[in-house]
Amino acid sequence: MDRRELIKTIAVLTGAAFVGGDLFLSGCREQNKALFSQEDIAFFDEVAETIIPRTDTPGAKDAEVGKFMVLYASDCYDIAQQQTLQQGITQINNTAKKKFRRAFVQLTTAQKLSLLTDIQEEARRQKARKDAPVHYFTLMKQLTLLGFFTSEAGATQVLRHLPVPGTYHGCVDYNGETAWG
Amino acid sequence: MAENKDAVTHFDAIVVGSGISGGWAAKELCEKGLKTLVLERGRNVEHIRDYPTASTPVWDFKYRGALPKSVLDANPYISRAAGYDASTAHFFVKDADHPYIQEKPFEWIRGYQVGGKSLIWGRACARWSAMDFTAPHRYGYGIEWPVGYDDIAPWYSHVEKFIGVCGNKDGIDTMPDGEFQPAFELNCVEQHLKEVVAEKFNRHYVSGRWAQVTQPQEIHKEQHRQCLSRNLCMRGCPLGGYFSSNASTLPWAEKTGNLTIRPFSVVHSVIYDEQSGKAAGVKVIDAQTKEEIIYHAKIIFLNASALNTNLILLNSVSERFPNGLGNDNGLLGKYICFHNYRASVSGEFDGFEDKYYKVSKPSECIIPNFRNVYQQDTDFVGGYVIFSAGYREKLNDENVPAVLGAAFKEAISKPGKWGAYMYMQGETIPKASNHVRLSKDKKDEWGIPLLITSVDYDDNDDRMVKDFIEQGTAMMAAAGAKNIVVNDNRQPPGLDIHEMGGVRMGKDPATSLLNEWNQLHHCKNVFVTDGACMTSTGNQSPSILYMSLTARAANYAVEQLKKGAL
Ligand SMILES: Cc1cc2nc3c(=O)[nH]c(=O)nc-3n(C[C@H](O)[C@H](O)[C@H](O)COP(=O)(O)OP(=O)(O)OC[C@H]3O[C@@H](n4cnc5c(N)ncnc54)[C@H](O)[C@@H]3O)c2cc1C
Ligand code: SF4
């Protein structure tokens, strides 16, 4: 099996998130350079929390997803991806200012949601076009999902976590529970 | 290791390598009372103690499982191995430490440590059928095996009982039943595939036979081994749930008091004694100090993994054997073969949304070979098995409504669509042109010539890939799969991790190197029982056959020793 496919399969079967699985293969450089600021972390926290909010279970901020996004983007992204992501911060803030006269982090929850929903639409249209560069929101969403569902909170309190399952059952009724972590 | 100056250097038996086959040689020889020295080039890995990531949750890995780029860049080959990631990388070699020369692309995947690749193997463990042993000869694409199914069957049983193999007794003539513990159940899509494949194709789709202890027997209880489906096997299992030398054969051998394991011992060559006409021992280079040490024994088992065993024999030159030990016919290093893993088929399934599984299983399903069994019925020779599994996707945001926030969180946390995949494991045809040899001028840091690999696919492999893709697609489509994706990845040989041959068994010393007891025809106290001995590749995962051949040969060796015949 080729590795990419295998990763996908392993991921599906064992529970590591395969969102962004392709990026996962490029490897991470340990680096001490801070490519992103504390402000950026706070910004990503808000984006991630908008995508995956706290409900009766933990949300992105509880899992410190902003911090993970910055680490992963600094060490594991290539320069083009990093630039796309950085431009994304600027663009989201510009749009926020244009629409609501405030920086993104200062918006209300409803405003953030409406703004990012529009941007997601734009990203989806871009993705549908052949050869279009990857949209910054696609990266942000992938990082959010990867960071959240591989965090302790995401993997154990949102997904279902059974570290030593015991007997395997092949075919059980499914009644809307969350996936196995 | 200065203490070795005074240490014992004479043993009854020497085993080179402590992996899947070497562990078995050690167990059998020690049990039968032979003082046995196991020489292992890598470090020691003690069961449980040396499994640093066994219980590390994903969030404790810095990049959540992704590897540092420096590691990937420094290891272009080994990092492509199945299952290589941040949680398992420490059980694979580093490319730069162990160079070899690829005359044609060949990605040689190795695990150098006590336990060898037994720590990281995939654990598929099915028997060959009687037809698999005779096919090369019957259809004229190889030489005759000197053993048949009936010779090996009792040793398969012997091995299965000890290592623990799960599976169902399916009564299939192309994949004989064995001594099984309860199998992992099929999930509902797999069950569906099983029915369709039986009804519409008259083929079998069954739970794979896997080296997992699902229902510990006395022997496994004694060794504290039980699989509880953690499915993190390749990190080393603290429950001893799957078979590895470290959890199973080596501690068993140790308990006899007859075992000495010497890690960091790179075997350079086998020493041939011109006077007695036998091997006298082996020359070892200490991996760390580079000191040279000679160990003596009455019998020698080579279990360094297929290509390393070729290397050691090619490097064992003497007046009598200027081209490598036992190599009178010049065939040592030739007829290297492997398994063809190139192609896969996957698809999506509707209609099982109200079903799921709990939680995950460490095995896959298998469709035993259905090609060229009773007659040559295709345009290629040899057969293939298909591994397959059904699963429910997760965290795939492409299949979730385009909303964000609480509704999205709820949707994305739920299991998604059902899918299934199939991939092939095909027989390849041994031929003289696929070979390994030693470099004339390049050596490794232990002064051992580098191995040159010259191994490639041929047309037969292409035709088999084509047939698998057609058949796999037809079976998936018949089961109602949608969005079927086929892939021929054309990965270089080696990545299949089932390299075999070079020191093949046979009836005739003119065309083979080993006899029916895995003895070198021309140096009878040297036994080769790892993949190097394979006369053909068959289509099943090979390791349980190596184990069975090893146990059989070891018992024979002890008998012969007792009779004074060795
Ligand atoms: C990811 C993966 C999945 C696999 N899946 C399966 C599967 O599902 N089913 C299956 O049947 N097989 C599978 N295999 C293959 C299986 O691992 C091998 O067939 C098996 O390990 C071979 O056993 P061995 O004893 O010949 O070699 P190994 O287990 O590799 O052991 C050889 C040992 O010899 C040592 N050695 C090498 N050279 C020297 C030397 N010069 N001096 C001293 N020591 C030396 C090595 O360090 C090593 O410890 C898989 C392998 C991998 C890596
Ligand atoms: S699946 Fe079984 S053998 Fe593998 S890690 Fe889990 S308990 Fe251990």
Side-chain angles (χ1 to χ4, degrees):
Chain A
M1 241 192 222
D2 82 15
R3 222 176 111 58
R4 191 156 131 203
E5 203 174 328
L6 189 91
I7 284 233
K8 232 174 137 171
T9 312
I10 286 185
V12 178
L13 295 176
T14 66
F18 74 79
V19 213
D22 299 353
L23 302 173
F24 221 60
L25 293 181
S26 51
C28 305
R29 298 164 303 266
E30 304 259 0
Q31 56 181 24
N32 305 314
K33 250 194 335 202
L35 281 182
F36 297 88
S37 63
Q38 281 303 321
E39 237 173 86
D40 293 334
I41 294 180
F43 173 87
F44 284 133
D45 264 338
E46 293 303 330
V47 170
E49 184 74 15
T50 309
I51 297 172
I52 305 214
R54 180 193 288 181
T55 50
D56 50 353
T57 55
K61 272 194 204 167
D62 297 311
E64 301 192 327
V65 169
K67 214 163 106 190
F68 170 79
M69 291 170 77
V70 159
L71 170 79
Y72 198 84
S74 301
D75 289 10
C76 314
Y77 270 17
D78 63 26
I79 293 174
Q81 289 163 337
Q82 286 167 346
Q83 282 171 350
T84 305
L85 203 61
Q86 273 159 336
Q87 285 156 10
I89 301 177
T90 316
Q91 292 215 23
I92 288 178
N93 274 325
N94 287 348
T95 314
K97 279 180 197 139
K98 222 188 279 165
K99 268 198 174 162
F100 304 109
R101 304 184 183 288
R102 276 171 204 210
F104 180 73
V105 294
Q106 288 157 350
L107 302 186
T108 65
T109 306
Q111 286 170 331
K112 284 182 209 145
L113 188 62
S114 123
L115 189 142
L116 289 189
T117 304
D118 289 349
I119 295 179
Q120 163 156 279
E121 214 21 64
E122 182 187 308
R124 286 171 83 88
R125 280 198 303 272
Q126 179 159 329
K127 203 169 176 188
R129 282 205 329 266
K130 265 207 190 106
D131 306 325
V134 59
H135 193 280
Y136 61 82
F137 187 76
T138 306
L139 294 181
M140 288 182 191
K141 195 170 174 193
Q142 281 179 351
L143 283 176
T144 301
L145 294 177
L146 180 62
F148 182 71
F149 286 107
T150 58
S151 73
E152 182 164 12
T156 66
Q157 293 179 55
V158 177
L159 300 180
R160 283 182 294 160
H161 183 60
L162 253 188
V164 184
T167 312
Y168 168 80
H169 298 284
C171 197
V172 298
D173 287 337
Y174 174 69
N175 298 308
E177 302 89 345
T178 60
W180 298 110
Chain B
M1 285 201 142
E3 74 264 28
N4 265 290
K5 293 253 155 58
D6 314 310
V8 185
T9 54
H10 286 69
F11 292 83
D12 295 327
I14 288 174
V15 176
V16 181
S18 62
I20 288 190
S21 63
W24 263 95
K27 167 188 175 289
E28 297 294 313
L29 297 171
C30 287
E31 268 185 319
K32 290 274 146 69
L34 267 53
K35 293 285 175 202
T36 304
L37 172 67
V38 173
L39 294 167
E40 166 53 55
R41 69 180 301 155
R43 68 192 164 99
N44 189 27
V45 172
E46 201 173 301
H47 182 46
I48 304 178
R49 188 196 69 187
D50 294 324
Y51 302 157
T53 57
S55 300
T56 313
V58 60
W59 52 89
D60 279 348
F61 289 98
K62 183 166 180 195
Y63 302 114
R64 309 280 165 92
L67 278 155
K69 191 164 171 29
S70 54
V71 173
L72 293 182
D73 289 349
N75 296 282
Y77 308 122
I78 202 79
S79 68
R80 301 205 325 134
Y84 182 96
D85 66 22
S87 70
T88 58
H90 50 284
F91 290 146
F92 292 83
V93 299
K94 295 189 173 62
D95 284 339
D97 293 350
H98 301 287
Y100 64 103
I101 298 165
Q102 303 177 47
E103 196 164 76
K104 297 170 183 163
F106 183 93
E107 303 195 353
W108 188 13
I109 305 304
R110 290 156 292 166
Y112 287 170
Q113 59 248 330
V114 168
K117 295 198 294 285
S118 75
L119 287 163
I120 44 176
W121 72 311
R123 309 166 309 280
C125 228
R127 294 182 177 204
W128 281 33
S129 71
M131 286 81 76
D132 293 323
F133 284 97
T134 56
H137 183 55
R138 269 187 297 140
Y139 301 131
Y141 62 85
I143 60 166
E144 191 175 359
W145 274 84
V147 293
Y149 181 74
D150 293 340
D151 300 308
I152 307 302
W155 296 101
Y156 271 139
S157 294
H158 179 71
V159 168
E160 284 158 348
K161 282 188 215 153
F162 187 79
I163 68 173
V165 176
C166 66
N168 288 314
K169 296 217 183 225
D170 297 298
I172 305 170
D173 53 359
T174 49
M175 191 173 74
D177 293 331
E179 317 288 334
F180 297 146
Q181 301 184 8
F184 288 99
E185 293 175 358
L186 305 195
N187 66 38
C188 10
V189 159
E190 292 163 352
Q191 186 61 37
H192 171 65
L193 277 162
K194 178 189 176 89
E195 285 154 20
V196 172
V197 163
E199 245 166 64
K200 301 202 176 147
F201 297 85
N202 199 20
R203 293 172 190 161
H204 305 277
Y205 185 109
V206 301
S207 188
R209 287 94 191 252
W210 238 250
Q212 318 282 144
V213 177
T214 53
Q215 191 178 80
Q217 308 296 302
E218 276 317 309
I219 229 164
H220 309 115
K221 287 183 188 151
E222 212 176 305
Q223 291 201 296
H224 307 287
R225 298 189 51 213
Q226 177 167 23
C227 174
L228 294 175
S229 311
R230 299 169 68 239
N231 204 6
L232 300 171
C233 313
M234 284 179 73
R235 302 169 173 200
C237 179
L239 306 173
Y242 72 102
F243 167 79
S244 65
S245 305
N246 314 61
S248 173
T249 43
L250 293 176
W252 194 263
E254 184 112 57
K255 229 179 42 182
T256 64
N258 292 325
L259 177 71
T260 306
I261 301 191
R262 191 181 192 281
F264 295 122
S265 304
V266 186
V267 171
H268 170 281
S269 53
V270 178
I271 298 161
Y272 182 72
D273 178 27
E274 310 270 347
Q275 246 138 38
S276 63
K278 287 191 231 171
V282 300
K283 177 165 142 182
V284 165
I285 313 292
D286 186 289
Q288 295 169 305
T289 65
K290 312 280 156 74
E291 186 194 359
E292 188 182 305
I293 311 160
I294 309 276
Y295 288 103
H296 299 273
K298 296 172 197 150
I299 53 171
I300 295 166
F301 269 70
L302 292 182
N303 298 98
S305 78
L307 297 193
N308 276 311
T309 289
N310 275 278
L311 195 165
I312 292 169
L313 286 172
L314 285 165
N315 200 36
S316 302
V317 290
S318 56
E319 239 168 78
R320 164 70 183 83
F321 293 110
N323 301 317
L325 189 64
N327 189 17
D328 284 359
N329 56 23
L331 298 184
L332 178 60
K334 296 188 175 158
Y335 299 98
I336 299 294
C337 38
F338 54 96
H339 275 148
N340 177 350
Y341 262 104
R342 271 167 36 188
S344 61
V345 177
S346 58
E348 294 170 0
F349 287 87
D350 291 335
F352 299 89
E353 287 72 20
D354 59 344
K355 297 288 175 201
Y356 201 22
Y357 36 78
K358 189 186 168 204
V359 173
S360 68
K361 60 176 165 182
S363 68
E364 292 171 313
C365 299
I366 186 168
I367 302 176
N369 178 37
F370 48 86
R371 286 304 197 209
N372 305 328
V373 179
Y374 298 105
Q375 62 206 35
Q376 175 64 45
D377 50 21
T378 63
D379 65 350
F380 56 88
V381 292
Y384 56 85
V385 300
I386 298 174
F387 288 108
S388 174
Y391 56 84
R392 258 189 111 155
E393 241 183 25
K394 66 177 158 194
L395 304 178
N396 184 352
D397 89 279
E398 282 173 25
N399 290 336
V400 165
V403 290
L404 295 176
F408 173 71
K409 179 183 177 190
E410 194 185 332
I412 190 90
S413 337
K414 293 195 170 162
K417 286 192 177 167
W418 279 93
Y421 63 82
M422 296 183 174
Y423 64 95
M424 68 182 295
Q425 176 175 287
E427 184 165 4
T428 70
I429 308 314
K431 38 183 199 228
S433 56
N434 273 345
H435 73 277
V436 295
R437 62 179 195 276
L438 299 185
S439 166
K440 293 211 166 58
D441 50 354
K442 296 203 174 64
K443 294 191 169 175
D444 66 16
E445 60 172 294
W446 300 277
I448 299 172
L450 298 192
L451 194 71
I452 301 173
T453 61
S454 188
V455 180
D456 205 353
Y457 294 105
D458 62 23
D459 298 346
N460 195 67
D461 302 318
D462 294 338
R463 287 194 291 272
M464 189 184 283
V465 164
K466 184 166 170 277
D467 186 66
F468 158 75
I469 288 178
E470 283 165 13
Q471 295 305 313
T473 306
M475 289 188 278
M476 292 282 271
K482 295 203 180 123
N483 299 329
I484 295 177
V485 177
V486 304
N487 183 22
D488 173 3
N489 62 26
R490 296 186 177 272
Q491 68 177 24
L495 278 174
D496 46 88
I497 328 180
H498 290 181
E499 62 277 6
M500 300 172 219
V503 197
R504 66 182 181 180
M505 297 169 77
K507 290 189 162 163
D508 182 356
T511 56
S512 62
L513 277 299
L514 302 171
N515 70 10
E516 74 272 36
W517 300 106
N518 298 74
Q519 295 170 285
L520 279 176
H521 288 301
H522 300 303
C523 187
K524 291 255 164 30
N525 68 336
V526 174
F527 294 78
V528 174
T529 65
D530 61 17
C533 78
M534 298 288 276
T535 311
S536 66
T537 74
N539 48 68
Q540 291 291 2
S541 308
S543 305
I544 189 166
L545 183 51
Y546 306 165
M547 293 190 250
S548 306
L549 286 167
T550 303
R552 179 174 174 273
N555 280 270
Y556 176 79
V558 173
E559 271 168 34
Q560 294 297 303
L561 257 188
K562 285 191 182 145
K563 280 192 204 155
L566 278 177

